[in-house]
Amino acid sequence: MRGVWLALAWAALAMPVRGEGGTAAGAVFQVDYSNPGLSPSHWVLTLYPDGSGHFKSEQGRVAGAAAQGAGEGVWQGIEAPNVDRDVRVSAEFAGRVFETARQQKFFSAGCESHLKVAFQGWKKLSYSGADGAGGCEFNYSKDKEIQALGDSLVAVASAVLEGARLETLLQHDRLGLDQEMEFLVEAAGDGRVQQICTIRGILERLADDPEVMERVRKRARVLLARGEG
C-alpha cells in the first residue's frame, strides 16, 4: 500500500500545474510582428499568464511620416526609439490570450486565410507550455477569434510604442505632446490602442508635470482614470 501511495505522489508532482483559465503554469505566448513598410518594421511581444511580459522593437527603413497601418506609430513627426523593456498587461487580457491559444489547439490548424486582402503585416503567434506547444503565421485570418487576437496584440504594441514616443517628446518636444495625447485619447477610445496600463508610468509623469500644457495633463488623467489593470 505504501508503494501505491508513493507512486500516486510522484504522479501528482509530475502533473503540470495549471493556473487561471486552465493555462499551464510556466506557459509563454509570443507574437512576432513584421512589416517592412512601417517603422518600427519589427517587434516582438512576449506574455506570461500573470500579465507580465517583454516588448522589443526595431525601427525599419521607413522614417518620419509613415502611411497609416497596423503596428505603426501614430502620426507624422518624431518617432519612437527602439524599445526593449518589460511590460505588464492586465490579468484579464493575458487570460484571454492564453485561453484563445488553448481553444485554438495552439494554432495547429493554421491561421492564414490566403485571401487577397490588404497587407496588414505578418503576425507570427506561438505558444509553449507543459500542456502543449504550437504556432502559426498570418497576414489575415478567416478565423474571427484569431484575427481579433492579432488585432488586439497589435493594439497593445501600439500602446507601448506610444509610451516610448511620449517619453521622447517630453524630453525633446513638449509642445508636440498636445497633438500626440489628442491622438492617444482618440485611439484608446476606438480600440486602435489597447492596454493603456502598459504605459501608466509616463502618463502619471505627464499628469503631474506642471511644465507641460494643461490639456496634456488633463488627457493623461483621463487615460489613467480608465483603469485598465
Side-chain angles (χ1 to χ4, degrees), residues 39 59 62-68 72-81 162 165 168-169 173 176 179-180:
S39 183
Q59 291 182 348
V62 177
Q68 292 293 330
E72 162 198 19
V74 177
W75 51 283
Q76 302 86 357
I78 194 166
E79 290 193 45
E162 263 305 289
R165 185 175 288 102
T168 301
L169 288 170
D173 180 16
Q179 186 175 356
E180 198 76 14

Side-chain angles (χ1 to χ4, degrees), residues 108-212:
S108 58
C111 298
E112 177 55 43
S113 67
H114 301 292
L115 295 174
K116 292 183 178 180
V117 298
F119 182 58
Q120 303 173 4
W122 289 110
K123 296 165 284 289
K124 184 185 297 181
L125 309 182
S126 60
Y127 174 95
S128 177
D131 53 350
C136 66
E137 185 175 15
F138 67 104
N139 168 52
Y140 177 79
S141 178
K142 289 191 296 185
D143 188 301
K144 293 182 179 180
E145 192 173 50
I146 292 177
Q147 181 62 30
L149 175 62
D151 290 343
S152 65
L153 292 165
V154 168
V156 172
S158 295
V160 178
L161 293 168
E162 263 305 289
R165 185 175 288 102
L166 290 173
E167 291 170 359
T168 301
L169 288 170
L170 180 60
Q171 184 176 0
H172 299 291
D173 180 16
R174 290 180 175 237
L175 291 178
L177 287 167
D178 188 32
Q179 186 175 356
E180 198 76 14
M181 287 296 289
E182 181 181 9
F183 167 87
L184 184 54
V185 170
E186 179 183 319
D190 63 25
R192 283 174 291 164
V193 168
Q194 296 180 25
Q195 292 296 296
I196 290 295
C197 55
T198 57
I199 58 171
R200 181 174 297 277
I202 181 60
L203 292 178
E204 289 176 340
R205 286 173 60 190
L206 292 175
D208 296 335
D209 191 338
E211 297 185 9
V212 301

